[in-house]
């Protein structure tokens, strides 16, 4: 199938300061760009529509490009319905959502924004356009409301990665937040460290005070950390088949039971199996539509938690609790700094970059963050992040059946293990290296632009077409 994916880049305000709260959000699976973003877009549209002078009598959702091609497997349709019904990713209960959807489908009625009941027939009111890519971005979603006076109200949104959305025609947020240490490149970040004597984590924490106090920023990251751990633990506790029809069985629980004494570190030969277990647990939860931390996306949500638990369990296990907590915060602030660079200078959307923009970015973030908590200098941290991406360049996104399962779940284990390797490689050097993080981010961007469409979250190529579905 031929599709025209030539698009005009959206003005994403690359110079705008980014908060850690934009890199880490607590939502639901299976996809940040295809589930979380559309739910936010639908919620925003519903709030706007319900506020119109004329009553809304019907709504329609049109999904374009990648959202249409893999939307059913990524639960884009159900996310849009929940958003229209007034649910946000941060508030929706994954366990309660199926009952909400069942009621809407059985009654063919939807309570728009939780305020006004309107007719809603899913088959007619959620429309997939797999051959049509909107010119601005591969992840396009349009909403139309029919009003009581016969007129209509429409908006178009773009899900640009990590759950972030842009509304077409809306003014781009101005860079009116004055952070203490602005940076848009790793070169600027390193120069700031040289000038101030601060670590990368300290620079980001100081910047965060433009939005909230340092104590509030720490508390936010503590909540993110708790959500990551809860996701790992819930993923290990679950068993059975994942939804979607591929009959993929959860493996985390059985893997934990097979490891020596259920104790990480007891058998040094099993260290990477524990890391893989923690990543598997998160991404199996994600595939099941559970609550995960977007870090920086849902498809790559297992990498950072797995490497962070490696640090806590196998590196810092003998340290006092306050020291471990400080290490966790340092890890997350450092990871956020690296993620900010990818958002500013390229993209974290697999529909634009392939999986190098998701698992590759997560690997880079985790590698730099681990190097930081292991005592690395700013230049060693930058080197670790560069190594993490350099060996993910060209990674495609080709999910079988459009589901965030194969190869996505295992791919997170590879990203986590690779991140640990990258961190230790960087720490064996003095921070000097040939390829800069800026250069590898630009290479990733160019590679993503050159990558053929079928390898960018469309399920039109790669494993998605070479493996027969069960």
């Amino acid at each position: 199938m031929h599709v025209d994916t030539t698009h005009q880049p959206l003005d994403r305000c690359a110079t705008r300061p980014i908060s850690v709260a934009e890199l880490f959000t607590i939502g639901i699976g299976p996809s940040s760009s295809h589930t979380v973003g559309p739910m936010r877009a639908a919620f925003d549209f519903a709030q706007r529509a319900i506020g119109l002078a004329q009553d809304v009598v019907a709504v329609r959702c049109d999904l374009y490009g990648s959202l249409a091609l893999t939307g059913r497997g990524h639960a884009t349709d159900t996310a849009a319905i929940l958003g229209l019904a007034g649910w946000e990713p941060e508030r929706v209960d994954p366990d309660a959502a199926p009952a909400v959807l069942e009621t809407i489908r059985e009654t063919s009625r939807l309570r728009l924004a939780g305020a006004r009941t309107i007719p809603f027939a899913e088959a007619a009111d959620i429309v997939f356009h797999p051959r049509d890519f909107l010119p601005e971005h591969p992840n396009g979603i349009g909403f139309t409301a029919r009003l009581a006076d016969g007129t209509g109200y429409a908006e178009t949104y773009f899900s640009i990665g990590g759950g972030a959305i842009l509304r077409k025609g809306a003014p781009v947020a101005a860079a009116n937040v004055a952070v203490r240490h602005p940076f848009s490149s790793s070169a600027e970040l390193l120069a700031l460290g040289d000038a101030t004597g601060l670590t990368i984590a300290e620079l980001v924490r100081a910047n965060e005070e433009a939005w909230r106090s340092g104590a509030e920023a720490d508390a936010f990251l503590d909540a993110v950390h708790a959500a990551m751990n809860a996701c790992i633990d819930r993923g290990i506790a679950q068993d059975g088949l994942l939804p979607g029809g591929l009959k993929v069985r959860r493996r985390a629980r059985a893997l934990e039971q097979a490891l020596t004494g259920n104790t990480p570190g007891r058998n040094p030969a099993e260290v990477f199996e524990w890391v893989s277990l923690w990543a598997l647990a998160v991404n199996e939860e994600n595939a099941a539509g559970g609550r995960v931390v977007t870090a920086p996306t849902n498809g790559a949500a297992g990498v950072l938690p797995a490497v962070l638990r490696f640090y806590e369990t196998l590196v810092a296990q003998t340290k006092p609790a306050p020291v471990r907590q400080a290490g966790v915060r340092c890890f997350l602030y450092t990871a956020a700094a690296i993620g900010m660079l990818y958002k500013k200078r390229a993209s974290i959307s697999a529909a634009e970059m392939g999986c190098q923009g998701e698992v590759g970015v997560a690997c880079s973030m985790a590698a730099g963050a681990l190097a930081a908590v292991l005592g690395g200098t700013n230049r060693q941290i930058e080197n670790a992040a560069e190594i993490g991406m350099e060996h993910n360049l060209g990674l495609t996104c080709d999910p079988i059946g459009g589901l965030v399962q194969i190869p996505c779940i295992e791919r997170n284990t590879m990203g986590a293990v690779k991140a640990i390797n990258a961190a230790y490689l960087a720490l064996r050097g003095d921070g000097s290296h040939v390829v800069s993080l800026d250069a590898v981010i630009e290479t990733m961007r160019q590679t993503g632009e050159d990558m053929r469409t079928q390898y960018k979250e469309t399920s039109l190529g790669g494993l998605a077409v070479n493996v027969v579905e069960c």
Side-chain angles (χ1 to χ4, degrees):
M1 179 175 68
H2 172 73
V3 290
D4 180 8
T5 60
T6 303
H7 60 273
Q8 304 155 359
L10 294 168
D11 183 357
R12 308 178 201 203
C13 199
T15 59
R16 177 179 61 83
I18 299 174
S19 165
V20 297
E22 293 184 54
L23 267 298
F24 305 124
T25 59
I26 301 171
I28 62 170
S31 172
S32 48
S33 61
H34 285 54
T35 311
V36 176
M39 190 183 296
R40 287 184 175 141
F43 176 86
D44 182 80
F45 177 79
Q47 300 303 311
R48 294 176 185 277
I50 209 69
L52 297 174
Q54 284 286 328
D55 288 338
V56 177
V57 297
V59 294
R60 167 176 160 143
C61 170
D62 291 275
L63 301 172
Y64 298 94
S66 179
L67 292 184
L69 286 163
T70 62
R72 288 188 173 88
H74 285 55
T76 306
D77 44 359
T78 58
I81 295 170
L82 289 169
L84 289 171
W87 293 98
E88 295 177 278
E90 297 83 357
R91 295 189 304 108
V92 66
D93 180 353
D95 295 327
V100 174
L101 291 164
E102 183 178 0
T103 299
I104 293 171
R105 287 162 175 161
E106 286 182 350
T107 63
S108 295
R109 299 182 73 79
L110 180 148
R111 195 163 175 80
L112 185 66
R116 176 177 175 80
T117 301
I118 60 173
F120 186 83
E122 183 178 355
D125 295 328
I126 302 284
V127 183
F128 293 80
H129 302 274
R131 294 177 180 271
D132 300 328
F133 282 67
L134 299 185
E136 297 88 349
H137 194 280
N139 290 336
I141 180 168
F143 296 96
T144 305
R146 191 169 76 249
L147 307 182
D149 64 358
T151 62
Y153 166 66
E155 295 283 3
T156 301
Y157 296 80
F158 305 99
S159 182
I160 62 172
I165 60 171
L166 292 177
R167 182 167 56 90
K168 185 174 182 177
V172 177
N176 56 1
V177 176
V179 297
R180 196 175 305 172
H181 307 291
F183 63 88
S184 294
S185 68
S186 64
E188 292 176 357
L189 192 56
L190 293 175
L192 283 168
D194 292 341
T196 63
L198 298 175
T199 66
I200 290 174
E202 289 167 341
L203 289 167
V204 173
R205 187 180 186 275
N207 283 351
E208 200 62 22
E209 293 182 359
W211 291 277
R212 55 189 62 82
S213 71
E216 289 172 329
D218 289 346
F220 169 76
L221 290 187
D222 291 345
V224 165
H225 174 228
M228 287 179 170
N229 275 335
C231 188
I232 291 176
D233 295 339
R234 178 173 170 80
I236 292 174
Q238 304 303 308
D239 203 355
L241 298 179
L242 293 171
L246 289 181
K247 299 180 181 179
V248 174
R249 181 168 295 279
R250 287 179 182 253
R251 288 181 285 173
R253 183 177 179 182
L255 178 55
E256 187 201 39
Q257 293 170 347
L259 293 175
T260 305
N262 302 123
T263 304
R266 184 171 176 180
N267 182 350
E270 294 178 344
V271 167
F272 281 159
E273 287 190 82
W274 281 101
V275 175
S276 294
L277 160 68
W278 298 324
L280 277 176
V282 171
N283 284 87
E284 287 174 352
E285 271 299 285
N286 180 63
R291 188 163 300 286
V292 300
V293 176
T294 302
T297 68
N298 282 26
V303 177
L304 280 163
V307 177
L308 183 51
R309 185 165 284 198
F310 166 83
Y311 163 74
E312 290 184 273
T313 306
L314 297 168
V315 176
Q317 71 273 27
T318 61
K319 297 182 183 295
V323 175
R324 289 200 306 274
Q325 184 181 48
V328 168
R329 292 171 180 171
C330 173
F331 182 100
L332 292 173
Y333 279 124
T334 305
I338 297 164
M340 291 171 191
L341 293 176
Y342 283 97
K343 287 199 71 170
K344 286 173 176 287
R345 304 180 71 83
S347 170
I348 58 171
S349 167
E352 291 185 292
M353 296 287 114
C355 200
Q356 60 174 357
E358 294 205 22
V359 168
V361 172
C363 177
S364 181
M365 292 167 65
L370 181 60
V373 296
L374 292 176
T377 65
N378 286 351
R379 281 174 171 74
Q380 288 173 318
I381 294 167
E382 187 256 1
N383 188 13
E386 179 273 323
I387 295 171
M389 173 52 73
E390 186 175 351
H391 302 288
N392 278 292
L393 289 173
L395 192 61
T396 61
C397 181
D398 52 353
I400 296 175
L403 297 164
V404 193
Q405 296 179 18
I406 303 172
C408 320
I409 296 172
E410 285 183 357
R411 189 166 283 171
N412 276 258
T413 72
M414 300 297 106
V417 169
K418 195 177 292 186
I420 295 170
N421 193 22
Y424 280 102
L425 277 174
L427 291 173
R428 289 299 182 185
D430 62 4
S432 60
H433 52 108
V434 174
V435 181
S436 70
L437 179 56
D438 288 335
V440 85
I441 292 175
E442 174 59 16
T443 303
M444 185 202 82
R445 187 194 67 77
Q446 293 175 6
T447 303
E449 290 291 328
D450 291 341
M451 190 180 291
R452 295 179 66 179
T453 302
Q454 55 261 48
Y455 300 115
K456 294 193 286 188
E457 206 165 9
T458 60
S459 288
L460 295 176
L463 290 175
V465 299
N466 287 309
V467 176
V468 178
E469 295 180 35
C470 299

